[in-house]
Amino acid sequence: MYQPPHFREDRLEVQHALIRAQSLGTLVTAGPGGLQANHIPFLVDADGSPHGRLRAHLARANPQLLELAAVEECLVVFQGPQLYISPSLYPTKHEHGKAVPTWNYITVHAWGRPQVIDDVTWLRRQVNDLTTHNEGTRPAPWYVSDAPEEFVAAQLKGIVGIEIPIARIEGKWKVSQNRPAIDKAGVVEGLRGNGGEAEAMAALVAARGMSAP
């Protein structure tokens, strides 16, 4: 990933926080069957390697499972808030016109050697943990145990687990750090109050400091 120094985010706790908040990752392999990608919800654990460990599961019929068993390395991409930034938000544009559009985004890329796990105990823990992670903030959470046991057992037969000890991880927070403070303030002011991704991006630009160029 292209990494200008001012966009780098090397703090592991910040990278893991993005994965937990935006857990649908894009799993990419380049194996005997060529390039393949699937969109899969992941969990990240702090153990398993110095950079942590990713856990997920795929449908047993998914052809990418054969690729995962054959490759030395795979890539998982996690995407956070992203937004088009108009030069009209920059006060400096109105001074001299020397401004162009850009795209702000945050992302984490994680690499590692995948391990395919076909074990019902592991899979039961995985689906329980994934459910708890996503249901935990709901006023009336759904639990795997809410479904009939024979139904759950049948569903578990249709999936296979993967673990990826993270060998390398990179974070990129491209949130207007290369603009002067007056333009950062213009981006924040222009995006706030618009909801959704715009509101999230305004908070990210503000959090990265309004005084640094």
Side-chain angles (χ1 to χ4, degrees):
M1 178 164 55
Y2 175 52
Q3 282 280 46
H6 42 275
F7 296 147
R8 291 187 66 93
E9 177 50 79
D10 294 326
R11 292 172 293 176
L12 188 62
E13 67 274 16
V14 176
Q15 296 166 345
H16 281 191
L18 175 64
I19 295 172
R20 293 187 178 102
Q22 305 284 344
S23 55
L24 186 69
T26 303
L27 173 65
V28 183
T29 53
L35 278 169
Q36 294 193 33
N38 278 283
H39 307 281
I40 303 164
F42 282 85
L43 294 169
V44 62
D45 300 327
D47 60 0
S49 86
H51 303 297
R53 172 182 54 161
L54 296 172
R55 289 190 281 135
H57 64 271
L58 290 81
R60 190 175 291 275
N62 191 322
Q64 196 173 25
L65 278 171
L66 296 175
E67 305 297 296
L68 290 166
V71 299
E72 295 291 320
E73 185 180 57
C74 65
L75 167 66
V76 187
V77 178
F78 298 93
Q79 179 71 59
Q82 52 81 29
L83 200 71
Y84 170 81
I85 304 297
S86 169
S88 298
L89 299 178
Y90 301 149
T92 57
K93 178 260 184 187
H94 304 287
E95 295 175 9
H96 48 61
K98 298 177 181 179
V100 294
T102 191
W103 211 283
N104 278 5
Y105 60 90
I106 65 174
T107 187
V108 168
H109 293 190
W111 294 261
R113 184 171 186 172
Q115 303 167 359
V116 176
I117 301 174
D118 196 357
D119 177 83
V120 68
T121 301
W122 188 98
L123 287 166
R124 187 175 288 272
R125 177 200 169 199
Q126 170 66 16
V127 296
N128 276 318
D129 289 351
L130 190 61
T131 300
T132 299
H133 176 72
N134 289 286
E135 290 276 343
T137 58
R138 294 176 58 84
W142 180 87
Y143 298 97
V144 175
S145 58
D146 290 345
E149 173 55 32
E150 63 274 16
F151 173 78
V152 172
Q155 295 296 304
L156 290 175
K157 290 178 181 178
I159 61 175
V160 178
I162 57 168
E163 280 191 359
I164 306 170
I166 301 172
R168 179 162 58 104
I169 188 168
E170 293 182 359
K172 185 172 183 178
W173 264 239
K174 183 181 178 294
V175 290
S176 301
Q177 298 98 316
N178 58 326
R179 302 302 306 180
I182 190 173
D183 285 351
K184 293 180 189 177
V187 171
V188 172
E189 182 180 359
L191 298 182
R192 273 184 176 156
N194 291 307
E197 297 276 83
E199 200 71 46
M201 186 55 63
L204 284 164
V205 174
R208 288 287 151 156
M210 302 299 298
S211 58

